[in-house]
């Protein structure tokens, strides 16, 4: 009786990977983060039952248990009735559960239109006595920054509608949610402009631990890369907002200006087209140009990378580059780079991530010049890559930064931070 009385129950609404995996092919990026969160939360919290309400997947059971978590696949992507189905499921089948964690990625349910009923869902949960904690995987203050990603002219009526809808969504979160979690201080600052800051907490993106990691030379051998080649890695789905084309163009210039040294340089785009956008002609054209340009420079486009091969590509790399055009979310691939203690470079659009408390303290202690962590333009990127290629030890401090961040952002620590917020 005492055990039952003290039992904690948590409902989690999220995209969730296929059974037995962490990085699934059918799900969006939030799925791996959600699974790592729940595994860490179970380790940090005694007497906790977790049920995940996830999307329906092809050939997947509708209900099963995966690593101590009950997974119920109850909603469909791109359905306007998703939040109606979630409300019915929660009120009818989970009367005893009062705590809800919503992992929110804007494309998770399909698009902006599918998110319009979210404020009503939050209101229904509040009126039924439930506490909803929202993890905002993106915070977008101006959708015009993503104009090329969604193929719309800046300032168009459609983008004005999107901006208005996002502002309503964020204000509804601040009004109706119990707690909001973001990954970096910059996203907290963006939300602060729309309402109370007391509900907003910053929990850095957790860093995953990979087992049985092979050495760099062995990884290169398995991938058919010469030991002498300098490997530049970009990981994840190819996308305009991620600046994939910027990196490809920078590589073309690098190859044309660095002479013989360029022949020992390999760019790997470890990922492929996002299947959720392949029905769009402009995205098909974007991918085709990237693939053609990569053929011209001898660069690789791998296509989807299976979970078992993630460590191969990271371990084979000399540096990991993130050429994002805009900062709307913390990068999962950057967190994986920290897992492997890799040196990295980000675009100037991402430099505000270095203002988050934990990374800021380590940067100051290691006496790192922040300008060494990001590049202003393709020319600056080329210069920094060439400097790293000529003198690998020049990035030793950034390797130490990756190493120390991987420790302070371990999932064991992150799990306790979630526990303290959800069950204080």
């Amino acid at each position: 009786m005492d055990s039952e009385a003290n039992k904690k129950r948590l409902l989690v609404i999220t995209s969730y990977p296929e059974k037995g995996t962490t990085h699934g092919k059918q799900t969006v990026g939030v799925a791996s983060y959600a699974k790592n969160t729940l595994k860490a939360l179970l380790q940090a919290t005694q007497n906790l039952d977790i049920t995940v309400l996830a999307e329906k997947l092809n050939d997947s059971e509708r209900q099963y248990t995966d690593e101590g978590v009950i997974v119920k696949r109850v909603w469909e992507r791109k359905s306007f009735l998703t939040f109606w189905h979630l409300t019915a499921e929660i009120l009818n089948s989970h009367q005893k559960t009062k705590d809800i964690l919503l992992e929110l990625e804007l494309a998770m349910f399909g698009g902006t239109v599918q998110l319009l009923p979210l404020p009503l869902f939050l209101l229904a949960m509040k009126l039924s006595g439930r506490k909803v904690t929202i993890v905002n995987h993106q915070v977008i203050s101006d959708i015009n920054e993503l104009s090329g990603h969604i193929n719309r002219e800046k300032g168009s009526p459609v983008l004005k509608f999107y901006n208005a809808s996002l502002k309503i969504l964020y204000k509804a979160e601040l009004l109706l949610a119990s707690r909001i979690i973001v990954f970096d201080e910059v996203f907290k600052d963006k939300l602060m402009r729309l309402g109370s800051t007391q509900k907003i907490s910053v929990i850095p993106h957790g860093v995953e631990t990979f087992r049985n990691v092979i050495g760099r030379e062995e990884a290169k051998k398995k991938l058919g890369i010469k030991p002498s080649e300098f490997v530049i890695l970009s990981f994840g789905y190819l996308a305009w907002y991620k600046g994939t084309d910027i990196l490809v163009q920078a590589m073309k210039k690098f190859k044309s200006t660095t002479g013989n040294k360029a022949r020992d340089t390999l760019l790997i785009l470890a990922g492929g087209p996002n299947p959720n956008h392949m029905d769009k002609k402009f995205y098909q054209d974007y991918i085709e140009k990237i693939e053609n340009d990569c053929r011209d420079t001898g660069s690789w486009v791998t296509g989807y990378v299976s979970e078992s091969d993630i460590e191969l590509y990271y371990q084979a790399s000399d540096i990991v580059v993130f050429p994002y055009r805009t900062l709307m979310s913390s990068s999962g691939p950057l967190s994986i780079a920290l897992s492997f203690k890799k040196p990295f470079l980000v675009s100037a659009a991402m430099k505000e991530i270095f203002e988050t408390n934990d990374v800021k303290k380590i940067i100051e202690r290691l006496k790192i010049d922040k300008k060494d962590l990001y590049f202003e333009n393709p020319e600056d990127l080329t210069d920094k890559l060439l400097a790293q290629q000529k003198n690998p030890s020049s990035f030793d401090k950034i390797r130490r930064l990756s190493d120390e961040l991987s420790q302070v952002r371990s999932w064991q620590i992150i799990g306790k931070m979630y526990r303290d917020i959800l069950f204080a």
Side-chain angles (χ1 to χ4, degrees), residues 3 14 103 121 147 168-169 212 261 265 273 360 367 380:
S3 176
T14 182
E103 301 277 358
F121 169 79
S147 59
I168 292 170
L169 173 64
N212 306 315
K261 198 73 176 174
T265 304
K360 190 175 181 179
K367 295 182 171 57
D380 187 26

Side-chain angles (χ1 to χ4, degrees), residues 383-395:
D383 291 342
K384 285 184 165 71
L385 290 175
L386 190 58
Q388 161 70 355
Q389 188 177 17
K390 290 178 176 177
N391 181 18
S393 63
S394 64
F395 274 28

Side-chain angles (χ1 to χ4, degrees), residues 366-383:
L366 293 177
K367 295 182 171 57
I368 296 174
D369 186 342
K370 289 180 185 175
K371 291 182 179 178
D372 292 335
L373 298 172
Y374 65 88
F375 57 92
E376 294 282 0
N377 50 52
E379 291 74 22
D380 187 26
L381 172 59
T382 299
D383 291 342

Side-chain angles (χ1 to χ4, degrees), residues 217 220 225-231 261 264-265 318 389:
E217 297 308 317
K220 284 187 173 182
I225 301 170
K226 293 184 296 186
S228 61
E229 281 190 288
F230 179 74
V231 179
K261 198 73 176 174
D264 289 328
T265 304
D318 292 280
Q389 188 177 17

Side-chain angles (χ1 to χ4, degrees), residues 8 16 53 196 231 303-304 311 341 344 353 355 398 400:
K8 300 178 182 68
Y16 210 68
L53 304 181
S196 170
V231 179
Y304 174 76
E311 68 178 73
K341 287 78 175 174
F344 61 86
I353 64 174
E355 299 305 316
I398 304 180
R400 288 180 61 190

